Amino acid sequence: MSLMDRRAVVAAGAALASSAIGGPSASLGEYFMPAQITDLFLLENLDDTTRTKELTEGDRSALRAVADWIKTFVVKPHKDIGRAGPVCPFVPVALEHKTLWLAAERSAGRKATDVIQLIDSYKRLLLTAQPVEGDDANNKSIVVVFTDLPAAQAKDFFSGVLQQIAVPSYADDGLVMGPFYEGNDGTALYNPNFRPFISPVPFLLMRRAVISDWKFFLNNEDLLRLWARRYGESAVEALADELRRLPWQARRD
């Protein structure tokens, strides 16, 4: 895949990530990261000083700012989103199932290779967390908050990382990654004037890919090909199901 194609995946990453932060609905339940993981926090953990005592005050404040943004913006309806329901309709499910984790990291002093290795380690955590199969697995997401990253540097910082890991993460592992930060000019799928990827602290969101991601790939042949390769016959069925709802089908009947 060419560099241009890789950049296209990066550009689509934020929209994809936001579209299904928690994945589709699943049966009620609660899933846990492996026992040795101690630096991932559920939103409710941030109010428990015994859980966050190892964090610096700056890291704790940054995580709380992101958590508050999720609770007051992402899970709420917005008049400009272009459709009914919350900004991300899947996040309430992820919060209910306790499968949305936050992590605090620093960018200062880290080379690009260090950051890539860091993100890869979180990717492996997400892939190995239970459940690993079935629809329930799509509820899992990790938000890696870079607590010291200036918003003015976030675009270049994330682009440099995602250009190297976004395509293989999707093609090989079925993961989507997207950056959120102040000044992100990415727009919503149903309203090109609405920018839902502006967060109070820069972070990278990673989640499992889902078949409905085709909506974000439709106008990019290379990205759509990656999606079709991943889902095969199910991809055809998903598109057919959507086409059956169009007005031309009703007129034909």
Side-chain angles (χ1 to χ4, degrees):
M1 180 171 287
S2 68
L3 177 60
M4 183 175 295
D5 297 335
R6 289 175 179 269
R7 287 174 176 169
V9 172
V10 174
L16 284 164
S18 180
S19 72
I21 286 179
S25 297
S27 59
L28 292 179
E30 182 173 331
Y31 311 118
F32 297 91
M33 284 293 181
Q36 69 270 23
I37 303 308
T38 59
D39 56 351
L40 296 174
F41 301 91
L42 299 173
L43 268 63
E44 57 263 34
N45 292 159
L46 300 178
D47 295 324
D48 185 347
T49 56
T50 63
R51 297 284 190 93
T52 62
K53 62 182 179 180
E54 300 300 327
L55 293 174
T56 67
E57 184 56 37
D59 289 349
R60 189 182 301 110
S61 295
L63 291 184
R64 285 175 175 168
V66 172
D68 288 344
W69 177 76
I70 291 172
K71 291 184 288 186
T72 61
F73 174 72
V74 178
V75 301
K76 301 293 185 180
H78 196 287
K79 61 182 179 61
D80 296 328
I81 191 65
R83 55 163 173 73
V87 171
C88 178
F90 306 110
V91 172
V93 178
L95 296 181
E96 183 178 17
H97 290 207
K98 302 184 185 301
T99 53
L100 177 61
W101 296 276
L102 275 62
E105 293 291 349
R106 303 288 183 89
S107 61
R110 278 179 163 151
K111 299 178 181 179
T113 53
D114 297 330
V115 177
I116 291 170
Q117 185 177 16
L118 174 72
I119 296 303
D120 189 65
S121 68
Y122 279 108
K123 183 176 73 174
R124 297 303 159 190
L125 292 181
L126 185 60
L127 288 170
T128 56
Q130 293 296 326
V132 296
E133 300 291 343
D135 291 341
D136 287 355
N138 292 328
N139 289 306
K140 303 182 299 184
S141 301
I142 294 179
V143 174
V144 184
V145 182
F146 288 89
T147 61
D148 65 339
L149 179 62
Q153 299 176 18
K155 182 177 181 179
D156 291 339
F157 176 85
F158 288 126
S159 293
V161 172
L162 292 175
Q163 282 176 11
Q164 298 190 53
I165 65 175
V167 170
S169 292
Y170 182 81
D172 301 334
D173 301 311
L175 292 183
V176 170
M177 301 181 185
F180 292 70
Y181 53 89
E182 186 71 33
N184 190 324
D185 58 3
T187 61
L189 182 64
Y190 297 99
N191 182 359
N193 297 314
F194 184 56
R195 291 174 169 77
F197 311 115
I198 297 175
S199 61
V201 183
F203 68 80
L204 184 71
L205 170 67
M206 61 180 70
R207 65 160 175 85
R208 290 282 294 267
V210 293
I211 197 169
S212 59
D213 289 339
W214 68 266
K215 294 180 180 180
F216 303 94
F217 294 159
L218 193 58
N219 295 319
N220 187 297
E221 184 177 344
D222 294 301
L223 297 180
L224 190 63
R225 187 178 294 112
L226 276 178
W227 171 81
R229 186 180 302 135
R230 168 161 293 278
Y231 292 103
E233 184 176 339
S234 296
V236 177
E237 294 173 355
L239 290 177
D241 183 62
E242 190 75 16
L243 289 171
R244 294 187 188 103
R245 305 174 189 177
L246 296 180
W248 66 268
Q249 181 74 5
R251 288 198 297 269
R252 183 177 179 179
D253 294 341

